[in-house]
Amino acid sequence: MRYKAPRGTQDILPSKVERWQRLETAARRVMERYGYREIRTPDFEEEDLFLRTVGEETDIVAKEMYSFTDRKGRRLALRPEGTAPVIRSYIENAMWKERRLQKLYYLGPMFRYDRPQKGRYRQFHQIGAEAVGSLSPLVDAEVIAMMVAVLREAGIRRLVLKLNSLGDTTSRASYIKALVKYFRGHEERLCGDCRLRLKKNPMRILDCKVPSCNELAAGIPAMEEYLSQEAREHYDQVQHWLRVLGVSFEKDKNLVRGLDYYTRTAFEVHHGELGATVALGGGGRYDGLVAECGGPDTPGIGFSLGTERVLLAIEQDKALRIKFEEDKYVRKAGYYIAWLGDIALKEAFSLAGFIRKKVRVEMEFEEGSLKSRLRQADRLRLSHAIILGENELKEEKFLVRELSTGNQEKMELSHSEEMRNEMVKKLIPYYDAEKKYDKAMDDLSYRTISGALSEYDGS
Ligand code: HAM
């Protein structure tokens, strides 16, 4: 075959897209419950935005960015993440004037030249949120709780939430000193890249994937001991309010995150089946980011979930898998028009246009046997077929067949309002069944969630 989707990208085919839609709908539902509103920013930005915010020394910027020069010589980059663009837009649109605390969410593609493997792609998608304008630890707890709520609404169990504080600028400076001292003592065990990092950005050593650096990183001093009084109190408060909201977490002193803009709270959420190296999502506070990008000194915090990874986690769950498989057997309310002959095609075409103003109709445009047509209607899991053959046409009638029972009746081929209502009425039991099915599906995911809650909370 001549063309293939580029390495690290994938087609989301119609057979899979329903899962995406369900997840995205669930995420929107939850985030809107928390008062977040959607924002859509461009898929590419000035390259410098990411150099300055995510950080030139990070893997994301140094190794993974899709940067290019446009026809007028501007340096641009496909966005590798969503936070910097949201902050750019927040400043450009002076959003603080509208409301002091802006609560924004986004869904969309991100691009990183990562090594493709399970759960790691070059074009992937994120579901993310940013709360800009408050330093309150209550906001930290709420944002984290919302992230967990999105995952629970999607029916995911066995979450592990890891939490750390990276301190404010004062605590960060003394911590970095301690880190440098520690790594200097073991410099010979660091990889070449990390020796450079030791000079330029020692925190980045903590997310190096080379095993010897990894082992060394396990012995680092705990950030918590270097937190300033203020940062420590903030961290304590975040933990307190997480407990109040019933969100369990594990403290992880090695959690640093792969982006430079973080201050204070940092977190990641992992899933039992996906393993420790593949996070479902993560985030944290970025109190200096708005000012760094040229806006007023404004704190912020947010998270992003990797959509593909969340879907992988859903697939790992047996109950949810059954749910999606069962979906195949539910007949959908709608008509399939099987026509025979040229005259019938014309009649079928206008009939479809007429009924479609109210309900779903499918038809082919090429000649075919009645048998193959009915087989196709069945494959599409539609509830009814309309049969329009020569005999029916002569009588100015058509046949409506209920596909699950084979029952059929003749109807007048008049394009009247009445006829359209009649066609809708026939589908009502199927719509009801679909609704019942959807509710059963929701109940199933809630059951899974309550199971998850007891597992997750260790109760
Ligand atoms: P991040 O940890 O770089 O954070 O990415 C968040 C999530 O995106 C990851 O946990 C993962 O699920 C997903 N992800 C990242 N890279 C890939 C990839 N190559 N393939 C598939 N999924 C991937 C951020 O992006 C921050 N903007 C999060 C944030 C929001 N912090 C504050 N606000």
Side-chain angles (χ1 to χ4, degrees):
M1 199 192 307
R2 179 131 179 242
Y3 297 114
K4 280 187 173 168
R7 188 164 145 76
T9 70
Q10 51 180 352
D11 299 314
I12 303 155
L13 298 175
S15 57
K16 280 269 170 80
V17 90
E18 202 176 319
R19 297 176 187 205
W20 282 73
Q21 290 167 343
R22 270 179 193 274
L23 172 60
E24 288 165 354
T25 308
R28 283 176 202 278
R29 193 163 56 218
V30 170
M31 296 194 284
E32 280 170 18
R33 261 187 341 236
Y34 280 77
Y36 282 67
R37 295 177 306 157
E38 184 174 355
I39 181 166
R40 301 183 189 196
T41 64
D43 288 354
F44 60 88
E45 296 273 350
E46 275 178 55
E47 181 188 37
D48 190 56
L49 174 68
F50 301 111
L51 303 188
R52 183 177 279 262
T53 57
V54 175
E56 295 193 46
E57 301 302 321
T58 60
D59 280 359
I60 296 176
V61 165
K63 300 183 183 162
E64 297 170 2
M65 211 139 73
Y66 279 93
S67 305
F68 59 98
T69 307
D70 78 359
R71 289 168 191 275
K72 283 273 168 68
R74 301 178 191 95
R75 288 294 294 165
L76 300 169
L78 298 185
R79 61 177 182 192
E81 61 105 47
T83 309
V86 167
I87 296 306
R88 194 264 312 133
S89 173
Y90 172 85
I91 298 168
E92 191 174 337
N93 296 291
M95 290 175 77
W96 58 89
K97 289 187 184 157
E98 188 203 42
R99 197 172 168 186
R100 195 183 145 87
L101 177 63
Q102 281 291 343
K103 300 194 289 183
L104 306 162
Y105 76 82
Y106 49 90
L107 288 90
M110 308 289 159
F111 307 85
R112 294 183 193 176
Y113 194 86
D114 225 330
R115 186 132 60 96
Q117 50 187 285
K118 194 174 177 190
R120 209 175 279 285
Y121 310 96
R122 290 185 176 166
Q123 174 173 334
F124 60 99
H125 297 75
Q126 284 186 346
I127 297 170
E130 313 293 342
V132 192
S134 172
L135 190 56
S136 169
L138 293 169
V139 178
D140 301 47
E142 193 176 271
V143 163
I144 296 173
M146 181 168 88
M147 177 184 77
V148 171
V150 168
L151 292 169
R152 285 179 177 169
E153 185 92 354
I156 292 183
R157 304 188 285 178
R158 280 175 297 168
L159 300 171
V160 179
L161 178 67
K162 295 189 172 170
L163 187 69
N164 195 15
S165 173
L166 305 176
D168 47 27
T169 23
T170 340
S171 32
R172 183 81 75 96
S174 51
Y175 183 60
I176 288 178
K177 254 193 218 153
L179 264 191
V180 171
K181 192 168 163 216
Y182 170 80
F183 284 120
R184 283 249 163 85
H186 306 276
E187 203 168 336
E188 70 293 345
R189 286 171 61 198
L190 288 176
C191 72
D193 278 351
C194 280
R195 279 185 209 162
L196 277 179
R197 289 179 181 131
L198 188 55
K199 292 196 186 82
K200 288 189 174 169
N201 191 346
M203 294 284 273
R204 291 272 70 86
I205 299 178
L206 305 187
D207 45 40
C208 178
K209 285 157 196 132
V210 175
S212 59
C213 302
N214 232 276
E215 280 162 27
L216 263 185
I220 57 167
M223 175 83 211
E224 216 176 333
E225 286 156 29
Y226 294 82
L227 292 182
S228 65
Q229 176 78 6
E230 228 189 325
R232 176 181 302 280
E233 275 168 20
H234 194 272
Y235 189 31
D236 287 344
Q237 285 289 309
V238 173
Q239 295 174 52
H240 168 75
W241 292 111
L242 279 175
R243 285 189 201 102
V244 168
L245 293 179
V247 178
S248 308
F249 57 88
E250 285 173 9
K251 292 209 278 179
D252 180 352
K253 68 171 181 172
N254 284 5
L255 180 70
V256 285
R257 315 269 306 122
L259 305 92
D260 275 353
Y261 50 62
Y262 292 114
T263 52
R264 300 178 195 249
T265 314
F267 53 90
E268 267 179 14
V269 61
H270 292 257
H271 181 257
E273 298 280 341
L274 295 185
T277 53
V278 184
L280 283 185
R285 228 175 219 293
Y286 42 80
D287 294 335
L289 187 57
V290 180
E292 179 68 35
C293 294
D297 195 4
T298 312
I301 178 166
F303 71 83
S304 311
L305 293 166
T307 312
E308 286 83 355
R309 293 189 188 176
V310 175
L311 288 166
L312 270 177
I314 291 174
E315 273 170 32
Q316 305 289 343
D317 191 295
K318 207 167 142 205
L320 290 172
R321 205 164 49 230
I322 291 170
K323 161 180 156 168
F324 286 119
E325 273 160 17
E326 275 175 1
D327 208 19
K328 285 196 243 156
Y329 301 105
V330 179
R331 278 192 188 273
K332 301 259 185 321
Y335 291 97
Y336 184 92
I337 307 188
W339 50 269
L340 286 173
D342 235 17
I343 304 170
L345 167 61
K346 289 179 190 133
E347 201 53 62
F349 189 67
S350 73
L351 187 62
F354 179 75
I355 311 175
R356 260 183 199 145
K357 290 188 184 140
K358 293 274 185 186
V359 292
R360 177 175 169 191
V361 179
E362 297 256 9
M363 63 179 281
E364 312 301 323
F365 299 97
E366 313 301 329
E367 200 72 58
S369 72
L370 187 60
K371 202 168 154 204
S372 71
R373 288 295 143 87
L374 292 176
R375 213 182 301 127
Q376 179 63 11
D378 203 47
R379 228 179 273 139
L380 292 168
R381 308 308 295 159
L382 283 175
S383 60
H384 291 76
I386 288 175
I387 299 167
L388 202 56
E390 275 169 21
N391 292 343
E392 286 80 15
L393 266 186
K394 262 187 228 143
E395 292 177 42
E396 299 211 358
K397 292 202 165 117
F398 60 88
L399 271 179
V400 180
R401 183 182 294 180
E402 188 178 25
L403 288 163
S404 57
T405 58
N407 293 341
Q408 55 185 35
E409 61 176 303
K410 271 197 182 147
M411 278 186 71
E412 294 291 332
L413 192 57
S414 72
H415 290 188
S416 64
E417 189 66 30
E418 218 174 293
M419 189 255 262
R420 203 161 65 191
N421 291 339
E422 185 65 21
M423 303 302 284
V424 177
K425 239 189 268 160
K426 286 189 198 312
L427 300 187
I428 289 174
Y430 284 91
Y431 279 122
D432 285 348
E434 274 175 51
K435 257 191 245 147
K436 243 187 251 160
Y437 172 76
D438 277 344
K439 186 168 175 327
M441 290 297 121
D442 279 349
D443 286 350
L444 176 62
S445 75
Y446 279 113
R447 244 188 294 128
T448 325
I449 289 161
S450 54
L453 280 177
S454 51
E455 253 178 70
Y456 183 66
D457 297 331
S459 54

